[in-house]
Amino acid sequence: MCAAFLVGCGTAQAPPIPATPDPAAPRLNSTTGDAATLDAEIATILAGYQSGIEVSVWVGGVEDEAWYERNADVWRASASAIKSAYMVELFDMVGRTADDAGLEMGLDQRLDIVASVVNDASHPAVVHFDDAQRAEIKSHLEFADTRQIARTMIRGDDVPNVVYNAAANVVTAALGGPERVTERLRARSPEWAAGLASRRYMLAARHVTGDNEATARGLAAVLRGIAAGNIPGIDPALYEPMREILRAGDDPELGRQYAKGGSLTSDPQVRINTGFWEKGDDVIVYVVMLERLDPGELSREESYLQLDEGLLGVTAAVVAAAATALRPQ
């Protein structure tokens, strides 16, 4: 199965490279969607490119255990994929503040900190942008409500890339800065604690305070929690607004999709797909992370294009195998 949303599903014809799944993990278990077949397909896809691409995968339902995983506990740069967790923490903070004030959720209220951030060129959330970029950020975000800022941070629809990422920086500032965001994430659940870390504002230098990082298992825990509506401490009324922002489309075979991706073009380059598919009672949660530490002889653009193509192919293979495993045999 190769759903229409996943282009580039064909794989290069090259000898498979050794697979490195977790041998202790639960396995996909249908005759046409088994783990060995998926291992070989992922290996073949990656063997079609020059060396240096590393991959992490977690796919399963809303339960803790994966149906298939591969390097799921390896820390990699998270890029924008971590923003789903930021949204959870933002909505929780705003919801609690509104509840204390006797308001309903508060998602349609403006964040008090936004105006001070976008009007202060020295604030660490925006100091790394130039004057023109800060003016663009201010025009889009200064009077936006919480729901709009979250949508801009997650979807980035009809805004420049700097605004898309500055929206996450405003959220980070509202939550107390990167260090405090990490504390919040790690207090949320053991899986979040073991797999999520915020260390810098988006588009700031990656190697000064450290990169934002995650494991495939950690990102999957966020998506599983949103899909199941069971993240510890989150008001049940907040799930539908979060799901509405993450909603990415529909497919006749797979159902309704909720998704958040991420990418970084500087070293190490990464491309990430995360999300979940819902069809009836069936849920497929998936995380695919591709990383290249050094493009070697490739140009940066060529290297990134390989990651992009490889991500599409691996994601297609992973989701197809999971969907096959769900079918009655």
Side-chain angles (χ1 to χ4, degrees):
M1 180 182 64
C2 180
F5 90 104
L6 290 169
V7 297
C9 297
T11 59
Q13 297 303 309
I17 58 176
T20 56
D22 180 352
R27 316 308 293 165
L28 297 167
N29 55 16
S30 78
T31 56
T32 55
D34 64 293
T37 299
L38 183 54
D39 287 342
E41 188 168 1
I42 292 173
T44 300
I45 291 168
L46 298 184
Y49 303 107
Q50 291 191 23
S51 64
I53 296 179
E54 300 179 4
V55 61
S56 292
V57 176
W58 193 102
V59 63
V62 295
E63 304 83 8
D64 292 346
E65 293 185 339
W67 301 339
Y68 172 92
E69 61 184 71
R70 181 178 179 137
N71 301 326
D73 294 309
V74 174
W75 286 89
R76 304 193 191 280
S78 63
S80 288
I82 201 171
K83 291 177 181 178
S84 297
Y86 286 16
M87 177 173 63
V88 173
E89 295 303 325
L90 173 67
F91 279 20
D92 182 46
M93 181 192 72
V94 170
R96 291 177 185 275
T97 301
D99 187 59
D100 291 343
L103 301 173
E104 184 177 352
M105 285 199 291
L107 300 184
D108 298 317
Q109 305 296 316
R110 293 205 297 268
L111 292 169
D112 292 338
I113 197 173
V114 174
S116 62
V117 170
V118 300
N119 285 291
D120 180 1
S122 66
H123 194 286
V126 296
V127 69
H128 47 290
F129 299 121
D130 62 32
D131 290 344
Q133 291 170 330
R134 282 192 292 271
E136 187 93 52
I137 291 164
K138 178 178 177 179
S139 70
H140 284 280
L141 300 181
E142 184 173 15
F143 299 108
D145 61 38
T146 298
R147 199 187 307 262
Q148 291 169 330
I149 288 175
R151 178 175 290 278
T152 299
M153 169 180 74
I154 296 291
R155 302 248 63 91
D157 295 334
D158 303 319
V159 298
N161 186 59
V162 292
V163 176
Y164 162 67
N165 284 293
N169 290 354
V170 166
V171 170
T172 302
L175 292 170
E179 184 176 349
R180 179 60 181 137
V181 170
T182 295
E183 292 173 358
R184 289 175 181 270
L185 297 176
R186 293 184 171 177
R188 185 62 61 187
S189 78
E191 281 190 303
W192 289 35
L196 301 171
S198 172
R199 299 190 184 94
R200 69 178 178 99
Y201 287 97
M202 299 286 170
L203 300 185
R206 296 177 63 184
H207 306 297
V208 176
T209 58
D211 215 342
N212 301 327
E213 293 183 324
T215 67
R217 192 184 311 280
L219 292 173
V222 177
L223 276 299
R224 285 183 7 244
I226 295 173
N230 63 359
I231 300 173
I234 297 300
D235 184 338
L238 294 172
Y239 288 105
E240 190 54 38
M242 288 191 284
R243 290 162 63 92
E244 192 277 328
I245 289 173
L246 287 169
R247 184 176 173 185
D250 299 285
D251 180 88
E253 291 187 68
L254 295 171
R256 178 163 294 175
Q257 185 190 28
Y258 303 83
K260 181 74 198 91
S263 63
L264 288 166
T265 58
S266 58
D267 295 337
Q269 293 182 322
V270 296
R271 282 290 283 118
I272 303 170
N273 275 342
T274 77
F276 56 96
W277 286 94
E278 289 182 333
K279 187 173 184 180
D281 294 331
D282 292 335
V283 179
I284 297 170
V285 179
Y286 63 91
V287 175
V288 180
M289 308 176 77
L290 264 61
E291 179 180 47
R292 178 177 262 149
L293 301 180
D294 183 349
E297 296 180 357
L298 295 171
S299 71
R300 193 165 300 282
E301 182 179 2
E302 289 171 331
S303 175
Y304 182 80
L305 286 174
Q306 285 191 0
L307 282 180
D308 196 47
E309 292 173 1
L311 182 74
L312 291 172
V314 174
T315 304
V318 166
V319 173
T324 298
L326 280 172
R327 294 182 189 136
Q329 298 301 304

